[in-house]
Amino acid sequence: MRLGELWAYRELLYFLIWRDVKVRYKQTVLGAAWAILQPLLTAAVFTLFFGRLAGIASDGMPYPLFSYVGLLAWTFFAQGLTQSSASVVGSAQLITKVYFPRLVIPIAAVLSGFVDLAVAFPVVVVMMWHYHVWPGLALLALPCLVLLGLVAAVGVGLWLSALNVKYRDVRYVVPFLVQIWLFVTPVIYPASTVAAYLEGWGIPAWVLGLNPMAGVVEGFRWALLGAPTTPGPLIASSAVTGLVLLVSGIFYFRSVERSFADVV
Amino acid sequence: MSAAAIRVEGLSKMYLIGERQPYKSLRESIMRALSKPFRGEPGDEATVWALKDVSLEIGEGEVVGLIGRNGAGKSTLLKILSRITEPTEGRVELHGRVGSLLEVGTGFHQELTGRENIYLNGAILGMRRAEIARKFDEIVDFAEVERFIDTPVKHFSTGMYLRLAFAVAAHLEPEILLVDEVLAVGDAAFQKKCMGKMGDVARGGRTVLFVSHNLAAVQALCQRAVLLRSGRMHLYGGVDEVVSTYHAEISSAEASLSARQDRQGDQRLVVSKLHIFPLRGNPGDTVRTGDDTVFELYYENRCGQSVRNLEVTIGIYDFLGRAMTFLENAPTGVRIDTDAESGSFRCVVPKLPLIPGQYVVNLHLKEHMTIIDWVQQALAFTVHDGDFFGTGKQTFTRVGGVFVPQSWAHRAHGSSQGEP
């Protein structure tokens, strides 16, 4: 897969991430506060409509905390997917003028979302302190779950960014995809609700994990908020689909990247 | 001869030109897949060979110019050598670290400061962070932008922006350098500096392939040159021989103007000949600064349709590709309608103000928003020394672009002798 070349260009990767981060909040009044406001306001709306009015369960956790932690993982994924899918077409200027491994572009687009994740994270600590919820040993699994979220975002991002070069339909598909994906991922509701329903049909709960973000979101809650049961099978099946997406994404991207400069 | 740094064998590159846009909509692809059994293979689209069967070898440390008309395949060749695009056929061998400079300022971001852009652009061009840090002061110094280095480049003047962009690029130190027409940047003083820097690079033992329309620059920098014509290699040899062949090619455009295939527009009218000569002379006579000069353009109407309100533009560019002036009928209030089979337009420029030198002409015929015929580099012509000011003296100016009529007077105030 010629990944060694990617390593040789790690400084370029670093500079592209740095540029994205630097430029993202320039000329905005609130700057990086947006990274907190987006998930926080969404969590507030979810709490009001889904938690209070619709009375959706939250596995015994306070609903605001439940939804904010879920949104933290989800926002990282959704932003990464959105940014990276447009990244190759958006970098047409570079692609037609300079050679470098094209993989750098969508990967940098996803990685720049880490900064937003890091900015929004302390809010969780404040909320946990407020609700007197403390993490256990499962917290140690958090970096692995973040990595899994990254793998899933890059995997999908590679597919979409490469397809977008050839089929500009992708631009219209992405917002729609992100919306649908949010609803099929246990962000608003706990996975346990769906698992119970599935088991009624004799379908094992890990099937939910075929959506890689199901494992990541549930995993985030387990690691941070100490959910009673370990969502092991769910995370395992999510890891498998995540890796399949990543590897197939790299192969597809590699197979079409040689024509990028002529088509983009 | 030293070992080859660049070896190219049977290189060809084909582009599809049938489709309006190279990318497809999903629907189109699905429809095509569904209808395939009922149609021919999609190979029936029009194709064009931007490059056809080019083979050449450039030795280590050689500085080679690459010249040819627009569309001859120069940029395509550089793009293939830079690995930006893949050849359709043939193979390329490169021995050494390649740096390519197809434009200046690639990846510059308007919102970032000069300092930030130096690092970003350097990384994009393949420089290491430590290397950029080491050369940082030199780059800033070269670009003459010390005072604005922490200002976002969107506040830079065009000149400053280009100087900074060129400065970063000029400090790239690969073993093989591929350069595309990046010297025509900034004012005359900065261009001189750029040429000096390119000269240093050329003498520094690096292998350089250099594309330029600036034939003087090619001759100054390169020992050898390649002439491409319609995607094929026409000549590869000593720079003087190649440049003079190319010059003959564009100067004898009169004969070949109607044969030019690389024209754009709907071709309702086609320019067949262009003559530039002194009003008190004949086609073929030498053109001098200060002479009343005729630009006579012959056209043919090949499809018999009439054209209303035709806009004719004769664009005159100097040897650096800088636009000097445009001769246009529309702004002068002259309306042209034609349904003739052929004819000519004559534009007379009283007292030609161009300084002596070489010029290139682009021709453009337009009806409202529609391009009818557009030929780039239709003709090259030389303006010789002349008597612009009508004083019987020859002008020897080689700087600036044009002479303007002027009158001078001197009035003395007071007297150095004191009042008598």
Side-chain angles (χ1 to χ4, degrees):
Chain A
M1 292 195 280
R2 306 204 314 273
L3 293 181
E5 199 184 16
L6 206 55
W7 177 246
Y9 278 84
R10 61 192 181 281
E11 285 195 352
L12 177 60
L13 182 66
Y14 164 78
F15 275 112
L16 289 180
I17 296 169
W18 169 83
R19 175 198 66 181
D20 283 354
V21 171
K22 203 111 202 183
V23 169
R24 187 171 305 153
Y25 296 113
K26 276 210 177 181
Q27 286 210 347
T28 59
V29 179
L30 297 178
W34 279 113
I36 296 176
L37 284 175
Q38 285 174 33
L40 196 63
L41 292 177
T42 314
V45 171
F46 281 7
T47 302
L48 181 62
F49 288 96
F50 298 121
R52 289 279 164 79
L53 297 178
I56 287 175
S58 52
D59 277 349
M61 296 169 223
Y63 194 88
L65 192 55
F66 169 87
S67 62
Y68 186 80
V69 169
L71 279 165
L72 210 58
W74 173 255
T75 310
F76 171 69
F77 174 76
Q79 290 274 10
L81 187 161
T82 308
Q83 302 278 355
S84 64
S85 68
S87 64
V88 173
V89 172
S91 305
Q93 269 295 356
L94 286 187
I95 287 175
T96 54
K97 297 292 180 192
V98 188
Y99 174 78
F100 53 87
R102 307 318 191 190
L103 278 172
V104 168
I105 296 173
I107 292 176
V110 175
L111 286 178
S112 68
F114 259 131
V115 177
D116 283 8
L117 183 65
V119 170
F121 193 79
V123 177
V124 179
V125 181
V126 174
M127 288 173 91
M128 283 162 67
W129 174 78
H130 177 80
Y131 288 107
H132 305 287
V133 178
W134 303 113
L137 273 179
L139 186 64
L140 297 175
L142 191 65
C144 295
L145 293 162
V146 173
L147 186 68
L148 179 54
L150 177 73
V151 164
V154 171
V156 181
L158 287 175
W159 273 102
L160 291 177
S161 61
L163 283 169
N164 195 18
V165 174
K166 207 167 175 190
Y167 306 106
R168 299 296 159 96
D169 302 67
V170 169
R171 196 170 19 180
Y172 303 104
V173 172
V174 166
F176 180 66
L177 180 72
V178 168
Q179 200 176 25
I180 298 293
W181 205 323
L182 169 64
F183 292 132
V184 301
T185 303
V187 176
I188 295 166
Y189 52 85
S192 56
T193 312
V194 189
Y197 180 76
L198 285 177
E199 263 152 30
W201 290 82
I203 302 167
W206 62 263
V207 169
L208 259 181
L210 293 179
N211 164 9
M213 283 316 288
V216 176
V217 168
E218 279 295 302
F220 259 57
R221 286 187 187 127
W222 162 67
L224 283 167
L225 311 179
T229 50
T230 309
L234 192 68
I235 294 175
S237 59
S238 284
V240 171
T241 32
L243 282 172
V244 167
L245 277 172
L246 179 69
V247 173
S248 63
I250 292 175
F251 272 106
Y252 178 68
F253 194 93
R254 283 285 190 198
S255 71
V256 294
E257 69 176 349
R258 50 186 58 202
S259 67
F260 281 176
D262 298 335
V263 181
V264 77
Chain B
M1 194 174 135
S2 50
I6 301 175
R7 183 179 289 132
V8 164
E9 275 168 38
L11 207 63
S12 300
K13 174 79 183 177
M14 187 184 73
Y15 283 106
L16 295 178
I17 53 166
E19 293 165 80
R20 269 197 97 88
Q21 50 196 32
Y23 48 84
K24 307 179 181 81
S25 74
L26 197 56
R27 182 180 58 87
E28 213 175 300
S29 283
I30 293 170
M31 289 309 289
R32 177 164 293 169
L34 290 177
S35 61
K36 216 174 214 167
F38 312 109
R39 278 195 359 182
E41 286 294 301
D44 52 7
E45 286 144 323
T47 57
V48 64
W49 290 94
L51 219 52
K52 187 74 184 147
D53 204 20
V54 171
S55 300
L56 72 114
E57 202 174 298
I58 296 174
E60 215 177 284
E62 270 193 293
V63 180
V64 175
L66 182 55
I67 56 180
R69 290 176 193 279
N70 285 354
K74 306 183 297 284
S75 297
T76 306
L77 180 55
L78 280 201
K79 279 190 177 178
I80 292 173
L81 293 178
S82 316
R83 296 172 65 196
I84 291 166
T85 182
E86 298 251 327
T88 313
E89 290 165 8
R91 42 190 245 107
V92 175
E93 264 177 57
L94 295 159
H95 301 281
R97 193 163 80 104
V98 179
S100 59
L101 213 51
L102 302 198
E103 76 179 358
V104 292
T106 304
F108 261 48
H109 200 290
Q110 295 290 329
E111 297 287 344
L112 299 177
T113 66
R115 180 187 304 276
E116 291 164 345
N117 269 309
I118 290 177
Y119 278 94
L120 178 63
N121 189 226
I124 286 169
L125 292 176
M127 288 157 94
R128 304 227 155 256
R129 195 166 11 157
E131 191 183 344
I132 306 168
R134 190 155 38 81
K135 293 179 184 161
F136 186 84
D137 292 337
E138 216 179 309
I139 292 172
V140 176
D141 203 42
F142 189 90
E144 303 162 27
V145 292
E146 294 86 346
R147 282 174 50 219
F148 305 98
I149 197 64
D150 290 309
T151 309
V153 296
K154 65 178 172 183
H155 300 307
F156 276 33
S157 70
T158 315
M160 281 161 57
Y161 183 92
L162 290 173
R163 287 205 307 269
L164 183 63
F166 184 86
V168 182
H171 288 80
L172 191 64
E173 283 178 347
E175 288 150 331
I176 300 173
L177 183 61
L178 309 167
V179 188
D180 193 359
E181 198 72 81
V182 290
L183 285 175
V185 161
D187 55 22
F190 190 72
Q191 276 181 14
K192 209 172 153 196
K193 205 164 158 184
C194 294
M195 275 296 289
K197 185 77 193 174
M198 281 302 299
D200 293 346
V201 171
R203 282 184 296 277
R206 253 166 276 169
T207 310
V208 182
L209 187 58
F210 174 60
V211 169
S212 184
H213 285 113
N214 181 344
L215 298 179
V218 171
Q219 274 177 304
L221 294 174
C222 310
Q223 301 104 43
R224 282 148 66 81
V226 177
L227 175 58
L228 289 179
R229 187 180 282 174
S230 313
R232 289 170 189 273
M233 195 164 80
H234 184 68
L235 187 63
Y236 181 25
V239 68
D240 294 323
E241 182 197 354
V242 175
V243 167
S244 64
T245 306
Y246 176 59
H247 210 262
E249 181 181 322
I250 50 177
S251 304
S252 69
E254 193 189 307
S256 58
L257 191 52
S258 53
R260 283 278 292 274
Q261 295 300 313
D262 55 343
R263 45 177 85 214
Q264 298 175 54
D266 63 15
Q267 312 289 295
R268 276 178 293 161
L269 300 182
V270 174
V271 177
S272 55
K273 266 190 292 190
L274 172 66
H275 288 156
I276 302 171
F277 57 98
L279 186 61
R280 278 174 286 277
N282 296 304
D285 285 1
T286 305
V287 174
R288 294 177 193 283
T289 287
D291 283 355
D292 297 344
T293 305
V294 180
F295 291 76
E296 195 157 46
L297 197 151
Y298 291 83
Y299 68 88
E300 285 166 17
N301 186 336
R302 292 180 182 171
C303 59
Q305 289 174 29
S306 64
V307 176
R308 300 277 149 238
N309 224 338
L310 178 67
E311 292 168 42
V312 182
T313 305
I314 301 171
I316 302 177
Y317 296 80
D318 74 357
F319 73 109
L320 289 174
R322 290 182 301 200
M324 301 303 292
T325 188
F326 295 93
L327 309 176
E328 297 169 283
N329 65 307
T332 62
V334 175
R335 183 185 163 113
I336 301 175
D337 300 318
T338 173
D339 46 14
E341 243 172 67
S342 63
S344 67
F345 312 117
R346 173 183 269 231
C347 170
V348 178
V349 178
K351 286 177 80 63
L352 187 72
L354 298 171
I355 64 161
Q358 287 170 351
Y359 297 90
V360 175
V361 172
N362 287 0
L363 297 174
H364 195 244
L365 304 188
K366 189 166 82 111
E367 181 189 43
H368 191 48
M369 298 299 283
T370 316
I371 299 172
I372 296 175
D373 193 20
W374 182 12
V375 190
Q376 299 197 52
Q377 294 162 333
L379 183 78
F381 69 101
T382 306
V383 175
H384 295 267
D385 287 312
D387 179 15
F388 181 82
F389 298 107
T391 55
K393 286 182 192 153
Q394 299 270 311
T395 51
F396 292 103
T397 310
R398 288 291 183 277
V399 293
V402 292
F403 293 106
V404 290
Q406 49 201 280
S407 59
W408 286 78
H410 171 223
R411 234 185 294 163
H413 297 282
S415 162
S416 59
Q417 307 296 311
E419 288 294 314

